[in-house]
Each structure stands twice: as C-alpha cells, then as structure tokens.
Amino acid sequence: MTPLWGAVLLAGLACLVIKLAGHVLPEHWLAQPRVARVAALVTVALLSALVAVQTSTSGGQVVVDARLPALGVAAVALVLRAPFVVVVVLAAATAAGLRLLGMP
C-alpha cells in the first residue's frame, strides 16, 4: 500500500469517527452556541480551501491562469450582492474572454 492510500484510508477513518461522535455525544453538548459557531466556520474554511485549490492548481502545480481573475470577478460580484446566477455568468465570461485573448 502506498503512503497516499494510507492517508486516504486514515482520512476516511477520521471522518467515520467524527460522524459517529455526533451520534454518541449528548445532545446538549452539541446544542451549545460555541459548537454551532465552530461548525459553521469549519464549513466555510473547507469550502474556501476547495475553491483555492481548484482555482490555483493544475496537476499538482501552482498555476496562474484565467481562473484566478474569474474568481476575483466572482468575489466582487458577491460583495456587490449580485444574484448567484449573475456571479457564475460573470466569472465564466471573464475566464472565457481571457482565454480568448490568449491567457492559459
């Protein structure tokens, strides 16, 4: 077994243990405001990490291509409270336009 598969199995086991802990722990522990706040922040952190990795890497290498400016346009549109469909269309149009101009 390669180290990569060992890490995958270990991560899967950790996820299983965390899920089981949610069923075993007393409900009043999980109902505390601090636990809810941490759970919300973990969700945001994981989604942010996923977006960062998918935007700035390709084949295990860090790359700067049309996805990065498109992400910036999407972030500005979200700050301006544009509807989600508009955010997606703006980001896609930005990436397509930059690729049309020759940016990888």
Side-chain angles (χ1 to χ4, degrees), residues 71-87:
L71 180 62
V73 168
V76 169
L78 285 172
V79 167
L80 295 175
R81 300 200 183 273
F84 185 71
V85 172
V86 173
V87 172

Side-chain angles (χ1 to χ4, degrees), residues 6-100:
V8 168
L9 291 174
L10 187 63
L13 183 62
C15 289
L16 179 65
V17 169
I18 290 170
K19 282 188 162 283
L20 287 175
H23 293 289
V24 174
L25 292 175
E27 188 175 336
H28 69 276
W29 285 8
L30 300 174
Q32 293 180 359
R34 178 188 282 177
V35 173
R37 196 169 47 245
V38 168
L41 292 176
V42 166
T43 303
V44 171
L46 288 173
L47 183 57
S48 299
L50 177 65
V51 168
V53 167
Q54 292 296 316
T55 302
S56 62
T57 63
S58 180
Q61 303 274 338
V62 176
V63 294
V64 177
D65 58 9
R67 295 176 293 178
L68 202 55
L71 180 62
V73 168
V76 169
L78 285 172
V79 167
L80 295 175
R81 300 200 183 273
F84 185 71
V85 172
V86 173
V87 172
V88 171
V89 169
L90 286 173
T94 301
L98 288 173
R99 287 188 173 139
L100 187 64

